[in-house]
Amino acid sequence: MPLAHVSLPVTSLPASTAFYLSALNPLGYDVFMNLERAVGMTVKYDGPDFWLHQCPEMKDGEKGNGMHVAFKGSSKRVVREFYEAALKVGGKDNGPPGERTQYTKGYYAAYVLDLDGNNVECVYYQPWWLSALQVAPSVVGVVVVAGVAWWGGRAGWGL
């Protein structure tokens, strides 16, 4: 993935760290580095790709500046778990888990507003060709069984 990291400005570093640790737990995130005015998070065995930083211009209670960040989920279940976890720790619904066909078929996402009003997305995208590959063995199996039955009947096997 070409993106190295994303950093969000927050009004309360401890509160936002707790929020994101819970919301991103289904994706495997944990704290990688804890600095005085920033916290770096990552998935196990990787470098920090998500940072929170205390924004000196923001006072507690002020809302964010319309920042948006999207995390990649590994399944629809993980997207739902992210959404539920984020709501439990103070996130606000900004779009429940579901298919977003306005983007493309197979785009499944959920959106929450974090404690500072930043729009946080978790998305699972399964391209159409991957769905086709998952269904292909069943389709091929049916075609093979039907072909063997037809050929066996013509050969007098009494199938």
Side-chain angles (χ1 to χ4, degrees):
M1 179 166 94
L3 185 65
H5 64 269
V6 172
S7 182
L8 289 182
V10 297
T11 57
S12 172
L13 193 56
S16 292
T17 299
F19 172 85
Y20 278 102
L21 277 177
S22 181
L24 299 179
N25 179 268
L27 283 72
Y29 272 81
D30 203 352
V31 172
F32 178 84
M33 186 180 294
N34 200 338
L35 305 172
E36 183 180 342
R37 299 185 57 80
V39 172
M41 298 182 186
T42 187
V43 177
K44 192 174 185 177
Y45 306 123
D46 204 357
D49 60 1
F50 181 65
W51 288 84
L52 303 171
H53 65 272
Q54 182 72 44
C55 187
E57 296 84 31
M58 293 176 73
K59 307 261 189 283
D60 281 340
E62 288 181 342
K63 291 300 172 196
N65 58 4
M67 293 288 296
H68 171 79
V69 62
F71 292 93
K72 192 183 304 182
S74 58
S75 68
K76 291 179 180 181
R77 177 188 51 80
V78 168
V79 171
R80 290 189 299 271
E81 288 175 357
F82 155 83
Y83 178 79
E84 292 163 8
L87 293 181
K88 284 182 185 174
V89 292
K92 304 278 187 259
D93 169 62
N94 199 31
E99 183 100 8
R100 302 299 196 264
T101 55
Q102 69 269 32
Y103 302 136
T104 187
K105 184 162 177 48
Y107 195 100
Y108 187 89
Y111 304 86
V112 295
L113 297 177
D114 74 1
L115 305 178
D116 291 301
N118 297 306
N119 185 29
V120 184
E121 173 185 1
C122 183
V123 58
Y124 171 68
Y125 174 67
Q126 182 168 328
W128 68 267
W129 58 266
L130 184 55
S131 297
L133 285 177
Q134 291 172 337
V135 173
S138 300
V139 172
V140 169
V142 168
V143 169
V144 167
V145 168
V148 168
W150 174 81
W151 188 73
R154 290 193 40 99
W157 291 353
L159 293 175

